[in-house]
Amino acid sequence: MKKMLSAFLLLTFALFFSQEKKPMFWQDIQNFKKSDQENPPPQDAILLIGSSSFTKWTDVATYFPAKTIINRGFGGSRLTDLNYYANDLLNYRPKQIIIYCGENDFADDDKLKADVVVGRFKTFYKKIRQKFPKIEVDYISIKYSPSREKLWPQMKEANKKIAKFMKKQKNSEFIDITGVMNDANGNIRNELFVEDRLHMTPEGYKLWTSVMNSYMK
């Protein structure tokens, strides 16, 4: 009886640990790996890394028909997640990396200070530079989504500080898309967003494209 009980307990523990909860976004990263195995990604492409504003830009290649793009945005991700999965996300040979991330960091914690987010970005930037010392690395400014208006002050401060940081780095640019998303009075154009007032319409992406074009290598 004792042997049977011991075997049962061992089986129970084995099942428990085999079903241990995976880290957040683990499956997204596995999907990227599977995609890369089935369709090896090209070299010297432009690598997009970030959150849902990239994830939902599923037809990004049609906006930049002359460019080769690898889209590795995963919805809901924060800069902490980019840092956690840095080895996987940087497992390519791009000629340029463009990042859109940081908005969800503030949404995850509305008391979060801008300096914390800036620090997270600098950590990720350092990881990029350790692997790619000379390629172009650009950061797209955090957009001011209407649904997150209460977070705009922290976001604006983070944008300002990241822009200042990027200006001092070689082969790096801060791509400011905030102005082009405003109306003539300087207010956010709500019609550029879908019903959730967070994600963008095709017109919003067209405006991003008009700004990004001059930065694309």
Side-chain angles (χ1 to χ4, degrees):
M1 181 64 71
K2 288 183 178 180
K3 290 183 178 180
M4 290 179 63
L5 180 60
S6 297
F8 175 76
L9 290 173
L10 286 172
L11 178 61
T12 301
F13 281 121
L15 287 172
F16 174 80
F17 286 110
S18 67
Q19 297 175 2
E20 187 177 357
K21 188 176 180 180
K22 302 294 185 184
M24 189 176 291
F25 305 116
W26 180 86
Q27 189 59 55
D28 296 87
I29 301 302
Q30 303 315 304
N31 292 341
F32 290 153
K33 290 180 178 180
K34 181 179 179 182
S35 176
D36 292 341
Q37 288 178 347
E38 295 174 349
N39 299 290
Q43 296 184 23
D44 297 322
I46 298 172
L47 176 62
L48 305 183
I49 300 176
S51 54
S52 59
S53 290
F54 278 168
T55 311
K56 291 183 176 295
W57 205 351
T58 55
D59 58 346
V60 61
T62 66
Y63 288 77
F64 305 99
K67 307 297 181 182
T68 303
I69 295 175
I70 301 171
N71 189 343
R72 289 298 175 262
F74 50 113
S77 61
R78 303 149 298 184
L79 285 161
T80 50
D81 303 304
L82 268 56
N83 279 308
Y84 184 82
Y85 291 110
N87 289 337
D88 297 304
L89 295 171
L90 301 176
N91 192 30
Y92 300 92
R93 295 182 181 179
K95 64 178 179 180
Q96 180 178 10
I97 294 176
I98 301 178
I99 304 155
Y100 181 81
C101 199
E103 187 176 353
N104 291 323
D105 295 63
F106 289 111
D108 191 50
D109 179 2
D110 61 8
K111 304 297 183 185
L112 196 64
K113 300 293 185 183
D115 284 341
V116 175
V117 174
V118 175
R120 292 173 180 177
F121 170 70
K122 288 180 178 179
T123 297
F124 187 59
Y125 182 88
K126 183 178 180 181
K127 291 182 178 183
I128 293 174
R129 284 302 180 213
Q130 287 173 344
K131 188 166 185 179
F132 306 110
K134 297 180 180 180
I135 71 169
E136 179 76 13
V137 179
D138 303 326
Y139 180 86
I140 296 178
S141 60
I142 298 171
K143 72 182 191 301
Y144 304 133
S145 305
S147 64
R148 293 173 170 174
E149 186 172 359
K150 69 176 183 178
L151 301 172
W152 289 358
Q154 296 116 289
M155 292 177 176
K156 289 179 179 179
E157 184 180 352
N159 275 338
K160 183 178 179 180
K161 291 183 175 181
I162 292 175
K164 184 178 180 180
F165 169 76
M166 293 296 274
K167 189 175 181 179
K168 296 178 181 179
Q169 311 307 311
K170 294 182 178 179
N171 302 320
S172 302
E173 296 285 352
F174 179 83
I175 304 175
D176 190 356
I177 48 78
T178 58
V180 76
M181 299 183 76
N182 292 340
D183 61 22
N185 297 316
N187 299 314
I188 296 294
R189 293 174 56 191
N190 287 289
E191 71 272 18
L192 298 177
F193 295 84
V194 296
E195 290 183 3
D196 63 8
R197 301 171 69 236
L198 173 62
H199 299 105
M200 294 189 299
T201 63
E203 180 61 25
Y205 284 118
K206 286 181 182 177
L207 292 174
W208 275 34
T209 301
S210 69
V211 177
M212 292 171 63
N213 260 322
S214 63
Y215 294 93
M216 306 288 274
K217 299 298 181 184

